[in-house]
Amino acid sequence: MSIFQIFLLLLAGSIFYMFFRQLFSGDYPKRGIDYEAKRSDDKVGSITTASKSFEKMPQPKSRVEELIEMADASVEKGDMLEARKAIQSALIVDKDNPEVLKRAGYLYFELGDYEESKEYYSKLLELDKSDDIVYNALANTLHKLGEDDKAIEYHQKAIELDSDYAPYYYNYANTLYDLGKEDEALKLYQKAYSLDKSLDEAKEMIVKLGGKL
């Protein structure tokens, strides 16, 4: 064997030695640890996509929620009778649900059944005596029933709970106007209009009663 052949043999041996040393030294990335999580909630592999899919799945609606949506859709279409049917069904499922009771009070009022409306609004006040919206609605209902002393009391209670809401003053003014108390009504119309310049109904009543805007 010539010196040149011996040199080539040594060179080849050195190359193979370096290759295998590199291969088993741990310098190459190993399968299974080539992904490094950047956040504590990161996951490796296809499970991430599946988890996200499950997380985004909508929760099923309750029967009461479905009936409320049906009632609201019927009101938007002007079908109060169909809305009432949906709410009556919702009351069978959950007779103390505030959202159902509010809609029941409203629907019976719109349909002219003021006694039923009064019953549902009164039930709401038993559940929550701090609901200004219910005091206002019940005041309007009581006025329709001729129970004006109580109506005035509830108008005042609604305003006490939210003194910056113009419609409460306007509704109170309407009750007083119907009772022939025009001077008191005018002041309340003016107060309503001062709080909300878009309340054209209040503006019209101020002009009608000869008041200043």
Side-chain angles (χ1 to χ4, degrees), residues 39-103:
R39 302 181 313 180
S40 60
D41 60 346
D42 278 348
K43 299 178 178 66
V44 180
S46 60
I47 190 65
T48 304
T49 303
S51 298
K52 287 183 179 178
S53 298
F54 283 116
E55 288 170 2
K56 292 179 181 178
M57 286 179 64
Q59 296 298 314
K61 294 177 183 176
S62 69
R63 181 56 179 159
V64 170
E65 289 173 329
E66 290 176 346
L67 290 165
I68 287 175
E69 286 188 2
M70 290 168 59
D72 290 347
S74 295
V75 169
E76 287 182 11
K77 293 186 291 186
D79 192 344
M80 297 300 182
L81 292 175
E82 197 63 31
R84 185 177 65 180
K85 289 179 185 178
I87 289 302
Q88 285 172 335
S89 297
L91 286 166
I92 293 172
V93 178
D94 188 353
K95 62 183 178 64
D96 293 327
N97 186 299
E99 292 304 316
V100 176
L101 290 169
K102 284 179 182 179
R103 286 164 173 79

Side-chain angles (χ1 to χ4, degrees), residues 174-185:
N174 284 340
T175 295
L176 294 177
Y177 178 81
D178 290 343
L179 295 173
K181 300 180 179 182
E182 295 186 357
D183 290 340
E184 294 178 56

